[in-house]
Amino acid sequence: MMRTYSLTVLLWSCMLHAVHMMPSQKRTNKHSPSERITGLSENDGETLHRTKRGWMWNQFFLLEEYTGPDTQYVGKLHTDQDKGDGNLKYILTGDGAGSLFIIDENTGDIHAAKKLDREEKSLYVLRAKAIDRKTGRQVEPESEFIIKIHDINDNEPKFTKDMYTASIPEMSGVGTSVIQVTATDADDANYGNSAKVVYSILQGQPYFSVDPETGIIKTALPDMSRENREQYQVVIQAKDMGGQMGGLSGTTTVNITLTDVNDNPPRFPQSTYQFNSPESAPPGTPLGRIKANDPDLGENAETEYSISNGEGSDMFDIITDKDTQEGIITVKKQLDFENKMLYTLRVEATNTHLDPHFLQLGPFKDTALVKISVEDIDEPPVFSRPSYLIEVDEDAKEGSIIGQVVAQDPDITKNTIKYSVDRHTDLDRIFNIYSGNGSLFISKPLDREETPWHNITVIATEINNPKQSSQIPVFIRILDINDHAPEFAKYYETFVCENAKAGQLIQTVSAVDKDEPPRGHKFFFELVPEFAVHPNFSIVDNKDNTAGIMTRRNGYSRSKTSTYLLPVIIFDNDYPIQSSTGTLTIRVCACDSRGNMQSCNAEALLLPAGLSTGALVAILLCIIILLVLVVLFAALKRQRKKEPLIISKDDVRDNIVTYNDEGGGEEDTQAFDIGTLRNPEAREESKMRRDVIPETIFQIRRTTPLWENIDVQDFIHRRLKENDSDPAAPPYDSLATYAYEGNDSIANSLSSLESLTTDGNQDYDYLSDWGPRFKKLADMYGGEDSD
């Protein structure tokens, strides 16, 4: 009522005093009746008067979210042209006209028909006009006015996120920023304190605090440790009205995690560790694991283990397991119980990633003692060397000792050792060993040229415990002695020309020796004493392990002597001196003027091939005879005539039947095909021969039928000619069936197969009149007592 009263006063004040009470976006001034403008017209100079504006209003204000029982009164439109007689009609247009705002067209009163929300729309622009009901003309120009919605605190602050997540390193100082939260209020920030938000902390004290204006969350306690507590949940409240009582509020949750820093050194849970190791453990054998605990995470907890210099650092090693952060102690060198039974190691664990901000919390390492006891085991014998090399002359006598191997039991008991040779490495049993002292001796003669090296294995075994044994390789080198004489390096094919001159070099020879003297080979060449002065040839030693064969006279004759034998003695210079005699075969050959061989005697020329002329001629004749025989055999096979098909009546094939009995009747179909005899045309079909096995399948050549009005003999001759000229016929004698019996016979059929179809007994007496050829049939069927 107070608001309505003030508007009414405001409106009527405008009407009575014609003054502007409040500023507005658009307004119309009301002039007094005495206000006028004087001027001259173009025509008659009449005085002009200003028309008075009669609208009386200013901008209106409404409260949002009105919940009264009646509609909310906005204001009144009125013009001084309204005499109160109802002739004027007020019309309202613009934002919400007719729906949100309604006007009484008679009185000009404006009401809000619905509850308004400033957050949806805070300003409405409307237009008003007054119309004369009788004429329909506007009495005042249309004008525009504004309705503003005043805000009330009807929206609580809302955070941009329902839940925040943040992290901060542990051990951070007081006041370290963690995260900033933000809340917004939909109310009007320019009208009152409805949108003024203040932040406060509801949960999370005393660890964190929040700036009431900015919403920045900060640490409130120093040296917060992740190892003590890692997760924190902080609840922040945002309240409008500047945080005063009655303001609306909203909350959000902030989950804060403390991240790890390297602020804890590794620590061994115990100061001393104990492990045992058998002395036979090979290098690299793991003995045990130790671990220094570090409450940090990730790389901050990575630890490196090492053995401090001192006792046992050369016998043991420690490696770091990156997955478990444990130290694995391993054997570095072979242990020996008899040498040392207990080792004490000092192991150190150190962080690999240090944080310079927390070095004052160090040192970031720890040490522990590790005691390792070596356990005694029964060990196999141990040789004094890893291998043995023995050298022996190849002329050493059987039974002579060539060397000795030594082994002993490394245990305290010092068991007795026996020795033996592994026969798998000495299959020929050339060497043997004395089982008591390990002396090796020769059992068979040696030959360096055959086997210069012998690699055998000697086994040492404890007598009290044969399972404990060890092996050692023994390399035996056979030293050379001069026991082989030198000989020609190869077989020399030497020739001399018939026109050779005296002093001419015809051959250069060299020698080889199976021995290997330490100073190298040195050979000497000379003729045997019987031919020291040879009349035909001489030898010249070149002093480089070669010698030249020289001629001593002019001209040689093949007709007199075709071959010369020249014995040569070859010496070496080792001790004892060895020599051998080699014979050179020198052939006399015909040569050209340049000394190139043209021909020698036939026998000499063929000797290198290993065959004489007679042998070659014999082989050639044999080959020619074989070729002639093959050609003759092929020609005879082609020209050979075919023999008669039937040699005797006993030579019977599938398609020939001897009619000396009645046969098996019509059901006997195994002997021959009755249909072929009755139907000669069936023979002309393409069928495979049954009396041969063809290598390829060929098509039987079809010929013109010959059984019409021709003689049997002519028919057979034609078929025989066709068969002889057929290239697909088999190459050997076979039976050809011509399936044709000729024209009708006056004797009718001789078969008894159809005898059952006749009535009564038949008369076969006429068979006796046919002559001696049918005598057997007459005897069989013509007699009275015949069956």
Side-chain angles (χ1 to χ4, degrees), residues 236-389:
I236 303 296
Q237 181 189 66
K239 190 174 184 180
D240 59 10
M241 299 298 293
Q244 298 178 5
M245 185 178 296
L248 303 178
S249 63
T251 60
T252 188
T253 301
V254 182
N255 293 322
I256 301 175
T257 302
L258 296 184
T259 58
D260 185 60
V261 297
N262 192 8
D263 59 339
N264 294 282
R267 290 288 181 264
F268 284 105
Q270 58 193 71
S271 59
T272 304
Y273 295 86
Q274 182 73 40
F275 297 104
N276 298 324
S277 174
E279 62 176 337
S280 61
T285 302
L287 302 181
R289 292 173 176 254
I290 60 175
K291 184 177 182 180
N293 297 324
D294 191 333
D296 295 325
L297 299 176
E299 66 176 16
N300 297 322
E302 291 183 1
T303 305
E304 188 72 26
Y305 297 89
S306 61
I307 298 177
S308 303
N309 294 331
E311 179 186 355
S313 60
D314 59 335
M315 302 299 296
F316 300 93
D317 198 4
I318 187 169
I319 58 177
T320 302
D321 189 335
K322 298 299 183 181
D323 296 330
T324 62
Q325 298 301 317
E326 294 177 318
I328 306 173
I329 299 176
T330 61
V331 178
K332 189 176 182 180
K333 291 183 179 180
Q334 188 67 48
L335 303 176
D336 188 2
F337 173 81
E338 289 73 24
N339 185 26
K340 191 174 181 61
M341 295 181 291
L342 180 64
Y343 294 88
T344 301
L345 311 178
R346 182 176 294 275
V347 178
E348 185 176 273
T350 307
N351 276 149
T352 56
H353 300 280
L354 300 180
D355 192 333
H357 298 89
F358 304 101
L359 292 179
Q360 69 277 6
L361 302 178
F364 287 83
K365 60 182 179 179
D366 195 15
T367 58
L369 295 179
V370 178
K371 295 183 178 181
I372 301 176
S373 299
V374 180
E375 300 174 349
D376 186 28
I377 63 170
D378 190 3
E379 298 176 89
V382 178
F383 285 91
S384 59
R385 300 179 190 176
S387 63
Y388 290 86
L389 174 61

Side-chain angles (χ1 to χ4, degrees), residues 496 500-504 506 536-538 549-553 556:
V496 62
K501 304 296 183 181
Q504 182 177 342
I506 62 173
N536 298 308
F537 303 97
S538 63
I549 308 301
M550 313 292 292
T551 59
R552 295 195 64 180
R553 64 185 180 88
Y556 296 85

Side-chain angles (χ1 to χ4, degrees), residues 513-524:
D513 194 339
K514 294 182 179 179
D515 297 322
E516 291 184 359
R519 295 185 301 273
H521 292 290
K522 182 64 177 177
F523 303 120
F524 304 95

Side-chain angles (χ1 to χ4, degrees), residues 390 392 425-426 428 430-431 445-448 450-456 474-478:
I390 299 175
V392 58
T425 61
D426 185 26
D428 296 332
I430 299 176
F431 302 96
L446 304 176
D447 187 358
R448 188 203 65 81
E450 181 180 352
T451 307
W453 284 89
H454 293 271
N455 302 326
I456 66 174
V474 179
F475 306 105
I476 302 174
R477 179 183 180 185
I478 309 302

Side-chain angles (χ1 to χ4, degrees), residues 63-65 118-119 150-155 187 191 194:
L63 289 176
E64 66 170 338
E65 305 293 344
R118 189 201 67 82
E119 285 71 33
H150 275 178
D151 183 45
I152 64 173
N153 190 19
D154 60 342
N155 291 280
D187 294 325
Y191 183 78
S194 298

Side-chain angles (χ1 to χ4, degrees), residues 50 129 150 488 539 578 608 627-628 764:
R50 180 187 297 276
K129 57 184 177 181
H150 275 178
F488 282 125
I539 187 168
Q578 299 287 344
L627 291 176
V628 171
Y764 295 102

